[in-house]
Amino acid sequence: MSGEVMPCSPQEISSLFLFEKLSPEQLGRLCGEGRVERFDTGPVYTEGAPATCFYVMIEGTVVLSRRVGGDDVEVSRTSQRGVYAGAMQAYLGEQVPQTYVNSMRVTEPTRFFVLPAQSFADIMREWFPMAAHLLEGLFFGSKNTQRAIGQRERLLALGSLSAGLTHELNNPAAAAVRATATLRERVGKMRHKLAHISQGQYSREVIADLIEIQERTVERVAKATALSPLEASDREDELADWLDDHGIQEGWRLAPTFVQAGLDTDWLEHVAATVSEEILPSAIGWLNYTVETELLMDEIDDSTTRISHLVDAAKQYSQLDRAPYRVVDVHELLDSTLLMLSGKIGSRVRVVKDYDRSVPDVPAYPAELNQVWTNLIDNAVFAIGSTGGEGTLTVRTAREGDRLLVEFRDTGPGIPADIRSRIFDPFFTTKPVGEGTGLGLDISWRIVVSKHHGSLQVESVPGDTRFQVLLPLTAPETETEAGPGAGTGNATPPENATETPPETATATQNSEEPA
C-alpha cells in the first residue's frame, strides 16, 4: 500500500533515536534515497509479501500482527516515535527470505520515514561494516546454535524414552522367560505322570474321567476372577484343610495354585466323587500340573501381549510407519507418549486422564505433536519432583469452539510471575545446569503455532500449572511451514498467551518491533 509522499526534512528525521548520531551528510543521503509517507487508517504492508521497504514511524500509531491459523493476532501496538519495522534484515541479502514477517497497519493518520530495502542494505554495509558483520554473525550463529542444541534436545528426549522403554520391556520379557522355564519343568513332570498312567494302573474309564475333569478345569482357569487378598487367604485355608483331610500331602503348597485358578472345595468334591479314593492323590497331582501349565501359559501370553503393546506404542509415538501429515486421534498420541514416559513418570506421580472422547480427530503432524506432549509432560514431572516427588499430572482434552484443547496440569510449585513471560524464550530454563537446554518450550511453541496454526498458553499458580495447547479442527486451505530463520529479530511472548514467536527481541532498547 502506498501513502502520500511528503517532503523529507533531515532535521526532523535526526530527532528519531535511530538517526540522532548521524552526520548532516548521512542525513542528507537518507532523505535523498528515502522518503516520508503519510498513511491513512488501514494496512501498510502484509505478512508474506516481498519486504521492499524499511519503515521508521515519525508520528501516529502502528499495530503489528501475525497470522496464526485463520486469525490475525495482534502482537504490538505503539505510538512511540522512532519504532521501526519492515525489511529489517535486508543487509543479509539472499541468505534469508526477504519477506515481511508480520503485517502492519495504522489506526490514525501516521507518517513514516520510508527507506527502500536495497538502500537500507547498502547503507548498513557502507556506514556500519563491523556492525553488519556482527549482526550477520549473531543471526546465523544463534540459528546454528539453536539448531544444534535442538538436535541435542531431541537426542536427550530419545535417550530418556529409550531408557523408559527398555525398563518397561524388561519386566514382561523377564516374566516370560521365567514362566517359560517353569513351564518346561511342569511339562516334563506331566510327561512323567503320563508314563506312570500308561503303565496300566488306571482303567480306561478312569482315564476318560480324568481327561474330562482336566478339560473342565481348564475352562474354569480361563474364567477365573480375581479375589481380594483376604478372600484368597480364606479360600487357601479351606482348600488346604480339605486336602489334608483327604490325605493329600503338601496341601498347603497346592492350595494357592488352585485358588489362583478359581477352584474351590466344591470342585475338589466333584473330583473326589469322580475317581476312587486310592487314586485321588494322583488325580489331584495330575490336575495341579494342568492348572500350573495353564497359569504359566496365561502369564506368557500376558507378558508377550504387554511387549506387543509397548512396541505398538513406540511405533505410534515415533510414527515411523505413518504419513507425516494426516488426521489423527490425539488420545492415541497422548496414550503412547504417556506409556513411553511411564518409566520417567514413576510411581510417585499420579496420572489422571480426563479425556473428552467425543472430540473429532484433527489434521496434524503426529510425530511432532508427540514431541510437544513429551516436552510438556517432562516439564510437569520435573516440577512435581521439585516439591518432593509426589503429585498429580492431569491430561485433559475438550472442544473449545472450532479448536481442540489439550491441557497438561501439574501440582508443582508453579511458575513465578516474574519469569512467566520468558519461559518460551530460546535457551531460557529453570532446570539445573546440564538438565535442560531451554529449547523444549521453544520447540513446542514452533510446532504448535508455526506448523499447526494453533496456540500454546500457560496459566500458573502454586499447586496448579496448566499448559494449554489449542489445535484447529480443520486444516488450513494452504498448508505452510515456518522453517528456521523465518522470523526476524526477537520478541518475548505475552505472559499467558504466546501467540508471538518466541524468537523475538527488540532490535534496540527503544524499539517495539516484535518481528
Side-chain angles (χ1 to χ4, degrees), residues 21-36:
K21 300 296 184 182
L22 299 183
S23 66
E25 292 77 12
Q26 291 173 321
L27 293 171
R29 179 177 174 180
L30 286 177
C31 274
E33 298 189 21
R35 61 189 183 273
V36 172

Side-chain angles (χ1 to χ4, degrees), residues 392-428:
T392 301
L393 167 64
T394 303
V395 183
R396 182 172 72 94
T397 62
R399 181 168 183 164
E400 291 198 356
D402 60 349
R403 296 195 292 181
L404 168 67
L405 168 68
V406 182
E407 180 182 80
F408 298 85
R409 176 185 178 187
D410 68 74
T411 56
I415 304 171
D418 58 335
I419 66 169
R420 201 172 301 156
S421 63
R422 301 175 57 198
I423 61 173
F424 292 94
D425 289 355
F427 310 113
F428 179 81

Side-chain angles (χ1 to χ4, degrees), residues 231-372:
E231 291 173 332
S233 178
D234 290 343
R235 184 171 293 184
E236 287 176 13
D237 291 340
E238 292 175 5
L239 289 177
D241 291 341
W242 190 97
L243 294 169
D244 289 342
D245 292 343
H246 289 75
I248 310 297
Q249 296 182 355
E250 296 185 334
W252 57 270
R253 185 179 62 82
L254 302 178
T257 302
F258 290 158
V259 170
Q260 185 180 355
L263 307 179
D264 53 20
T265 53
D266 291 340
W267 171 80
L268 291 176
E269 291 290 353
H270 175 70
V271 174
T274 304
V275 300
S276 61
E277 185 176 349
E278 62 271 11
I279 68 170
L280 178 61
S282 296
I284 294 296
W286 167 262
L287 294 175
N288 177 62
Y289 292 144
T290 299
V291 170
E292 285 186 331
T293 55
E294 286 298 315
L295 292 176
L296 287 168
M297 285 189 290
D298 286 345
E299 185 175 349
I300 293 172
D301 179 68
D302 178 67
S303 298
T304 53
T305 300
R306 287 172 59 194
I307 292 173
S308 177
H309 287 167
L310 284 166
V311 172
D312 287 342
K315 289 174 63 178
Q316 174 73 18
Y317 179 85
S318 63
Q319 297 290 314
L320 291 177
D321 59 344
R322 308 293 181 90
Y325 185 78
R326 62 186 181 88
V327 176
V328 297
D329 180 354
V330 294
H331 303 112
E332 292 182 359
L333 305 183
L334 291 167
D335 286 342
S336 66
T337 304
L338 287 168
L339 184 56
M340 290 295 96
L341 292 174
S342 58
K344 188 166 190 176
I345 292 172
S347 59
R348 304 185 70 184
V349 177
R350 176 171 172 259
V351 177
V352 176
K353 298 178 183 179
D354 183 10
Y355 292 167
D356 180 358
R357 295 287 183 177
S358 67
V359 299
D361 296 348
V362 296
Y365 295 88
E368 299 197 21
L369 282 185
N370 281 340
Q371 187 177 0
V372 174

Side-chain angles (χ1 to χ4, degrees), residues 426-442:
F427 310 113
F428 179 81
T429 180
T430 58
K431 295 180 180 178
V433 176
E435 291 192 26
T437 62
L439 284 178
L441 290 178
D442 172 49

Side-chain angles (χ1 to χ4, degrees), residues 15-18 20 55-64 76-85 104 107-108 110-112 506 508-513:
S15 66
L16 303 175
F17 64 82
L18 275 181
E20 60 186 1
Y55 296 84
V56 185
M57 190 179 73
I58 300 173
E59 62 178 358
T61 301
V62 298
V63 176
L64 298 179
S76 180
R77 179 187 295 258
T78 182
S79 299
Q80 181 181 354
R81 295 184 76 246
V83 295
Y84 52 89
M104 183 168 71
T107 58
E108 61 177 321
T110 301
R111 286 193 305 134
F112 292 95
T506 55
T508 74
Q509 63 178 357
N510 293 315
S511 170
E512 295 186 24
E513 162 58 28

Side-chain angles (χ1 to χ4, degrees), residues 120-132:
F120 175 61
D122 294 340
I123 286 173
M124 283 290 294
R125 296 191 192 101
E126 292 177 26
W127 293 357
F128 315 107
M130 183 176 178

